[in-house]
Amino acid sequence: MSLPALLTGVPLAAAILVFCLRGNGSRNIIVKIAAAVTMALSVATGVTYFGHPVFIKSTGTMLSTVIMAVDVIAALAILYYTLVKFKKIWIAALELIQLGLILWFEQGVGHSIRLSADLAIDNLAVIMVLIAGIIGSLIAVFSLGYMEEFQKEHPEVEDRRPFFFFVIFLFLSAMFGLVISNNLLIMYTCWEVTSFCSFLLIGYTQTEEAIHNSFKALWMNLLGGVAFALAIVWMGIEYETVELSMLINLGRSAQPVELAVALLVFCGFTKAAMMPFSGWLLGAMVAPTPTSALLHSSTMVKAGVFLIIKLCPVLGGNHAGLMTMFIGGATFLFASCAAISQSDGKKVLAYSTISNLGLIVCCAGIGSYEAAWTAIMIVVFHAVAKSLMFLSVGTAEQQLGSRNIETFDGMFCSMPGLSLCMIIGICGMFLAPFGMLISKWAAMKAFVDAGHPLLLLVLVFGSSTTLFYWTKWLGKITAYIPSGKNREEGIHGVQWLALRSLSALTIITCILFPLVSQCAVIPYLEAAYQTSADVIDRNNLLIMSMMVILLVVLPLRFGKGRKKKLVVTNLAGENSGDNLSYRGVAGQTVPVSLRNWYMESWFGEAKMKLCGFILCGSCLLIEFAIICGGAFHV
């Protein structure tokens, strides 16, 4: 069996096994083995195909038959939930429209189209395979301990862990199929499976809020699915191809493919939660934390930006690129501003995710070599650091009973190991010289070189707000408030395994990013753009890499063996002796209270969402009107 077949087949087999074998012991063994094998297969894919891209064509009609069968099965499952169980008729209509389009196309046009390659495994696909395979598998392992505690804490929620892990591994299987697809019909099928899996994961608790938010995710992603189906039909009829590589080649040769590109970009917008479609990703917070980590960092949303990055070479200098650039930039700015006013840890992470995805999409919309390099590097850094942050917050919530950042005071004393994991994740997201800041430096250079100074202002203001909310969070967890209680005793070993692995992976990625750039990203861009360039001078990359090493090594070397001196502090009164309370006026005891400034009146969530939705929605309508007018006029 070939490596691509194993890559998709192993998680699928694991999904079926964990669903059928209901015992906790057997499930734990299957999940651990499947996660280890999936990670090994991801690494094997990297070793085999890095620097050696391949195009694979299936023989016979078996693959197309399987794909069509999966389309029908997924559609029937969605129709069951939308028509039979919850009576969401208009959502069912979206599914019927795209299924009708695909079936009509397959029967009427698709069989006459000759394909040169169904699969394309290049460096970008391998990067995505490694992200999904390593991070997704670690999330699955983490879920073993987390979901056990979750069910104890929420006895009112039906224990459906076999179903939960079934969907997790089905999700990973579909993600692998999506990123190695060159045939858009195959990609479409995997795309729909991931949308349906996200619907099931968000609605896991089956509360009224969870069901409402799961359907919000479903209809938004089905709207993108309709655009995907229309793009396939348009490409098949107009250009007699359904291959992504052929679409890019046609765009390079100045063929009028802008409508198909714009439809695929729109599809990417819905999956990547760009405004005005960001609501589904915020709603996903009602799900257990592993779901949030999976959707926000390693798989679901990365599928959307993956497709848009693939289209980078044909996005520069046209209306599709302008739409992509504007909506990405506006999403980056308004989502980062909205994060300032949030004290809920998962909500801060959600808006931060949307913001970073917006920056990735904005860079992709520019379409230049430099901007594409930046977009890919942000994908890598964001995936590892943000998954670590989500799992850390979920663990802290289970131990503290809250995920509000204001409850994290003294966390460095009561949960030092978890605090260190969280600090590493935060540093990876915004602190110099860690990876995300390097990527933003490259984005700044790309915006200037592409002649878009206004985008530079968006980047500056968006990054400034990012600095603000991450610094607030970092200050909370590093505040030294003595505590005699160790709150880490209830954390499971599998949770520590995932957290420490992701912490190490974050540091390693930041140290080795010159190697990632030189060996993975630049070869892909050289093939895609048929040119070579250094975005950031190699000497500068090495200097920043060494700075990361020093930041990690120096605290380890000089922080040990030194006696800690506890200094009694005085605020507005006499210290009671424990730094936790003070005697104030008339002998009144006042507890210590530290609170951040959230500026709700300036950066309120509703205000930022309204501005972003209006601007992005208007841009979508205007640009699609122009693009459709040009396509049908031609």
Side-chain angles (χ1 to χ4, degrees):
M1 186 177 287
S2 67
L3 192 54
L6 284 172
L7 198 59
T8 55
V10 167
L12 182 59
I16 296 170
L17 284 174
V18 294
F19 185 75
C20 295
L21 301 176
R22 299 296 174 119
N24 289 338
S26 58
R27 179 174 59 247
N28 289 353
I29 293 171
I30 292 169
V31 169
K32 290 175 184 176
I33 293 175
V37 174
T38 301
M39 283 193 278
L41 288 170
S42 302
V43 174
T45 301
V47 172
T48 304
Y49 297 111
F50 258 142
H52 307 284
V54 295
F55 290 85
I56 303 171
K57 186 181 187 306
S58 65
T59 56
T61 60
M62 177 62 72
L63 181 60
S64 61
T65 303
V66 170
I67 291 300
M68 190 178 296
V70 174
D71 284 337
V72 173
I73 292 170
L76 290 175
I78 291 172
L79 292 174
Y80 166 74
Y81 281 99
T82 53
L83 283 179
V84 178
K85 194 169 183 179
F86 293 102
K87 304 294 188 288
K88 305 283 186 179
I89 298 174
W90 68 277
I91 299 179
L94 289 174
E95 176 58 35
L96 288 171
I97 290 170
Q98 57 187 320
L99 179 64
L101 283 169
I102 292 297
L103 292 179
W104 171 81
F105 177 80
E106 285 273 32
Q107 297 300 317
V109 181
H111 63 84
S112 63
I113 294 176
R114 296 291 176 263
L115 296 172
S116 59
D118 290 298
L119 306 179
I121 309 179
D122 53 22
N123 280 16
L124 180 59
V126 171
I127 289 171
M128 297 300 296
V129 165
L130 289 171
I131 288 173
I134 296 175
I135 299 176
S137 296
L138 287 172
I139 291 170
V141 171
F142 175 90
S143 301
L144 291 171
Y146 181 91
M147 293 304 294
E148 182 178 335
E149 293 301 316
F150 180 86
Q151 295 298 160
K152 291 177 183 177
E153 294 172 1
H154 301 86
E156 75 282 359
V157 176
E158 181 186 352
D159 189 348
R160 299 191 299 148
R161 279 180 283 172
F163 178 76
F164 178 85
F165 285 99
F166 164 77
V167 179
I168 289 283
F169 281 106
L170 179 62
F171 201 123
L172 292 177
S173 178
M175 185 66 184
F176 288 137
L178 190 156
V179 299
I180 64 174
S181 297
N182 184 54
N183 182 343
L184 288 176
L185 288 167
I186 300 175
M187 186 182 288
Y188 165 83
T189 300
C190 297
W191 195 277
E192 288 304 290
V193 172
T194 59
S195 297
F196 183 55
C197 287
S198 68
F199 161 76
L200 296 174
L201 288 170
I202 294 169
Y204 174 80
T205 59
Q206 297 184 310
T207 62
E208 185 176 345
E209 183 184 14
I211 291 170
H212 172 77
N213 290 353
S214 65
F215 275 108
K216 180 187 288 187
L218 184 62
W219 78 256
M220 286 187 179
N221 281 287
L222 287 180
L223 195 64
V226 171
F228 206 139
L230 287 171
I232 290 172
V233 172
W234 180 261
M235 285 175 59
I237 293 173
E238 287 293 314
Y239 311 111
E240 297 183 350
T241 184
V242 290
E243 294 181 72
L244 185 58
S245 58
M246 286 298 297
L247 174 66
I248 295 170
N249 288 336
L250 288 170
R252 284 201 194 101
S253 62
Q255 293 292 321
V257 297
E258 194 173 8
L259 179 57
V261 171
L263 287 168
L264 291 175
V265 166
F266 176 85
C267 185
F269 285 165
T270 59
K271 188 77 81 175
M274 293 295 98
M275 290 183 176
F277 308 110
S278 56
W280 78 260
L281 196 61
L282 295 166
M285 291 189 308
V286 301
T289 292
T291 296
S292 299
L294 198 68
L295 301 186
H296 286 242
S297 60
S298 61
T299 51
M300 181 71 167
V301 294
K302 293 298 187 295
V305 295
F306 166 77
L307 178 57
I308 295 174
I309 290 171
K310 275 281 193 178
L311 295 168
C312 259
V314 294
L315 284 176
N318 54 43
H319 286 286
L322 187 64
M323 175 181 71
T324 307
M325 186 172 57
F326 182 87
I327 290 177
T331 300
F332 169 66
L333 177 61
F334 288 107
S336 62
C337 288
I340 288 178
S341 63
Q342 305 304 312
S343 61
D344 184 312
K346 281 180 75 172
K347 209 161 192 179
V348 172
L349 294 178
Y351 273 116
S352 170
T353 296
I354 295 168
S355 173
N356 281 291
L357 294 171
L359 182 57
I360 295 168
V361 169
C362 182
C363 291
I366 292 175
S368 68
Y369 183 106
E370 291 176 321
W373 183 92
T374 305
I376 296 171
M377 294 304 290
I378 294 176
V379 167
V380 174
F381 292 125
H382 180 265
V384 290
K386 192 56 68 68
S387 57
L388 173 60
M389 285 300 298
F390 266 107
L391 299 188
S392 297
V393 169
T395 305
E397 181 183 6
Q398 284 191 333
Q399 304 308 309
L400 299 174
S402 172
R403 62 181 186 230
N404 193 306
I405 297 172
E406 296 303 319
T407 64
F408 290 176
D409 288 324
M411 189 172 160
F412 198 76
C413 298
S414 61
M415 292 190 287
L418 185 61
S419 297
L420 182 59
C421 293
M422 203 176 281
I423 289 168
I424 291 171
I426 292 175
C427 290
M429 288 303 301
F430 91 106
L431 193 66
F434 288 93
M436 191 62 75
L437 202 71
I438 297 165
S439 299
K440 288 181 179 178
W441 174 17
M444 188 180 300
K445 184 175 183 297
F447 292 168
V448 172
D449 291 347
H452 296 291
L454 288 178
L455 286 180
L456 192 60
L457 292 177
V458 169
L459 179 64
V460 169
F461 281 103
S463 297
S464 299
T465 55
T466 300
L467 176 71
F468 188 77
Y469 62 74
W470 284 130
T471 303
K472 288 193 300 181
W473 191 329
L474 192 61
K476 269 289 180 183
I477 60 178
T478 54
Y480 187 80
I481 300 177
S483 173
K485 185 177 180 181
N486 185 346
R487 293 179 174 270
E488 294 185 335
E489 294 175 353
I491 302 175
H492 289 246
V494 287
Q495 291 175 270
W496 279 124
L497 174 65
L499 289 168
R500 288 166 179 163
S501 298
L502 286 170
S503 298
L505 192 60
T506 301
I507 294 171
I508 291 169
T509 305
C510 291
I511 292 173
L512 297 182
F513 75 90
L515 192 63
V516 174
S517 171
Q518 191 62 35
C519 298
V521 180
I522 288 185
Y524 168 76
L525 295 175
E526 287 176 349
Y529 286 88
Q530 299 171 356
T531 186
S532 178
D534 282 332
V535 180
I536 298 178
D537 185 82
R538 294 183 188 181
N539 291 330
N540 289 335
L541 292 178
L542 291 173
I543 289 170
M544 287 183 286
S545 184
M546 291 299 298
M547 289 171 66
V548 175
I549 294 173
L550 290 174
L551 282 174
V552 174
V553 170
L554 288 177
L556 295 177
R557 171 63 184 86
F558 297 105
K560 292 184 177 181
R562 293 174 177 258
K563 293 182 179 180
K564 305 296 189 297
K565 183 179 180 181
L566 180 61
V567 179
V568 175
T569 57
N570 289 295
L571 295 178
E574 181 187 2
N575 195 304
S576 299
D578 56 4
N579 284 339
L580 298 178
S581 61
Y582 295 81
R583 285 188 291 273
V585 178
Q588 182 182 8
T589 300
V590 181
V592 171
S593 178
L594 305 174
R595 179 172 171 80
N596 279 311
W597 187 25
Y598 291 97
M599 298 188 284
E600 291 92 341
S601 59
W602 293 356
F603 297 104
E605 181 181 11
K607 188 183 296 183
M608 294 298 101
K609 284 169 63 177
L610 179 63
C611 293
F613 285 13
I614 290 174
L615 284 173
C616 294
S618 301
C619 178
L620 271 176
L621 293 174
I622 293 169
E623 292 296 339
F624 260 105
I626 295 171
I627 292 167
C628 290
F632 290 109
H633 176 72
V634 171

